[in-house]
Amino acid sequence: MASSKKILAIDQGTTSTRAIVFDAATQALATERREFRQFYPEHGWVEHDAEEIWRHVLEVSRAVIERVGGADGIAAIGITNQRETIVVWDRATGEPIHHAIVWQDRRTAARCAELRQQGAEELVRARTGLLLDPYFSATKLAWLLDEVDGARDRAERGELAFGTIDSFLLWRLTGGRVHATDITNACRTMLFDIHRQCWDDDLLRLFGVPASLLGAVHDNSFLFGETEPTLFGRAIPIGGMAGDQQAAVVGQACFAAGMAKSTYGTGCFMLLNTGEAAVASESRMLTTIAYRIGGRTTYALEGAIFVAGAAIKWLRDGIGLITHASQTDDMATRVPDNHGVYMVPGFVGLGAPHWDPHARGLICGLTLDATAAHIARAALESVALQTLDLAEAMQRDGGGQAQALRVDGGMAANDWFCQFLADMLQVPVERPRHLETTALGAAFLAGLAVGVWRDLDEVAATWSRASLFEPSMQVAQRDRVVAGWQDAVRRALLR
């Protein structure tokens, strides 16, 4: 292993953009972060300014490169990104034709319902492993082509390019020379056949997407291109790209079938490695590609929860119940139980296994002696209980119960939450030494492409556990908590 080499990981998330420089021993040498604006032009719509994201990517990357002594010490760049969020830009100028439409956006719920009524979901599930839901990229892209003046005609003429955020950043970083994506981002667009591993003509016709918009699709560890030399002082190879949740699978070294990880950021995403088998779900889980390295594809079952950390952010910014997210830990431990109070955080509908875009958030079980601490605890509990829903659905699909769950993301730093999660899932919860596993996964992929790490075994050897949380709650108590949660979810789903 080339111990002198450093990797720059660009982690472009839903609410912030980070850059971290790792060395070959996986130590984070420098970190920089910028939050960016969220736009909500209509109810259920969520947008980002792709130009603002690009500016922040440059700012944070330049800051950490300077801090570690300049670009000469950077062996490669890895990119990880919020998945399903789309950008369409002008091939001549590189300028987006509209704000990025974010994965959380629900504007195409009616179109998805219409396609389901037409019987299209069977085709979508068979080819992509996904469900017909506005979460994914295809209906967002079709909406943009139809609603932005002249966009469809320009797309037909080959003047426009489409991509998820990784693809847009790659285009900009390479000075417009490379239009490509990686297989994990491609497989979330609802336009990609995960079995034949190519863009699918039938799906392009179904959604009305011209093939001229699409870029090339490569392995996750691959030399995509080099940065424009003027950006960082010299050309740097871009050697890895992956959607954020798949990058976390790599960062958590979940390389064996049966290993599982759950990432707690704005949302929560649990992936169970199923090896070379693309397990078809009967429980409304997603069948997805975990990673492809050296042409060898590994699949996963995935459960997507739309609101995890966003529920804590709502307590702070929406209703002013807290001033800092860290307060929820103290509040949760201040009360002996949830006092029958449950929160179902369906602020943008509910994801797996319900997939109900019309569900709305609720807090139930309130009595006159319920307090702010009970509500804060209910918000934390809701994330663990949603994770339980995912784990049970994966078991029904034959994915089996993971021997342990590896966790990462902001909420994983909360000891109380990790213990409650272990109690609900009834499996050990492992918290790694590095919680920034998404960025670390991007670094691993880039480092593999340029020889900083030789293979996945060498990557796996770097993983180490910082904390272990064993189930300890009495079964009867756990069952009462779960029953109350199931009742609350039924109320949220009622229309």
Side-chain angles (χ1 to χ4, degrees), residues 168-354:
F168 175 68
L169 294 180
L170 179 65
W171 176 280
R172 286 291 181 89
L173 286 166
T174 60
R177 292 188 301 275
V178 181
H179 182 205
T181 187
D182 71 90
I183 196 166
T184 64
N185 276 293
C187 79
R188 309 296 292 199
T189 61
M190 219 153 49
L191 300 170
F192 190 82
D193 186 324
I194 63 171
H195 308 287
R196 293 185 300 127
Q197 298 180 29
C198 61
W199 299 116
D200 187 274
D201 289 340
D202 292 333
L203 294 172
L204 293 177
R205 281 190 291 272
L206 176 67
F207 294 107
V209 173
S212 61
L213 284 166
L214 305 172
V217 180
H218 298 300
D219 283 9
N220 295 105
S221 184
F222 180 82
L223 290 174
F224 289 85
E226 292 185 333
T227 62
E228 187 71 17
T230 56
L231 294 177
F232 305 121
R234 75 169 182 89
I236 304 173
I238 300 167
M241 294 203 312
D244 50 9
Q245 303 313 315
Q246 283 94 338
V249 169
V250 175
Q252 287 277 38
C254 290
F255 298 136
M259 296 184 73
K261 74 90 199 173
S262 196
T263 298
Y264 297 95
T266 300
C268 161
F269 300 86
M270 182 178 178
L271 274 77
L272 175 70
N273 185 321
T274 60
E276 296 182 5
V279 176
S281 174
E282 299 299 326
S283 301
R284 299 177 69 77
M285 294 293 101
L286 307 177
T287 304
T288 196
I289 292 173
Y291 52 85
R292 191 177 74 191
I293 297 173
R296 184 175 178 179
T297 303
T298 296
Y299 291 91
L301 280 173
E302 176 177 334
I305 296 168
F306 296 154
V307 174
I312 309 305
K313 188 174 185 291
W314 177 76
L315 294 182
R316 184 191 68 188
D317 300 341
I319 60 174
L321 193 70
I322 57 175
T323 55
H324 300 286
S326 59
Q327 290 174 267
T328 56
D329 189 16
D330 174 64
M331 295 172 80
T333 56
R334 197 185 305 160
V335 291
D337 54 40
N338 65 15
H339 199 58
V341 177
Y342 290 87
M343 173 190 286
V344 182
F347 300 110
V348 289
L350 288 175
H354 312 289

Side-chain angles (χ1 to χ4, degrees), residues 406-434:
R406 293 184 173 182
V407 297
D408 55 84
M411 291 184 71
N414 184 322
D415 286 357
W416 183 91
F417 169 75
C418 289
Q419 182 58 56
F420 186 79
L421 182 63
D423 289 335
M424 292 301 102
L425 269 61
Q426 297 182 300
V427 298
V429 168
E430 297 183 318
R431 185 168 64 199
R433 181 166 55 95
H434 291 298

Side-chain angles (χ1 to χ4, degrees), residues 12 35 47 57 71-73 75 192 230 335 340 363 397 422 430 437 463:
Q12 203 299 295
E35 287 193 7
E47 297 180 354
V57 165
D72 286 343
F192 190 82
T230 56
V335 291
I363 300 173
D397 284 333
E430 297 183 318
T437 54
W463 189 91

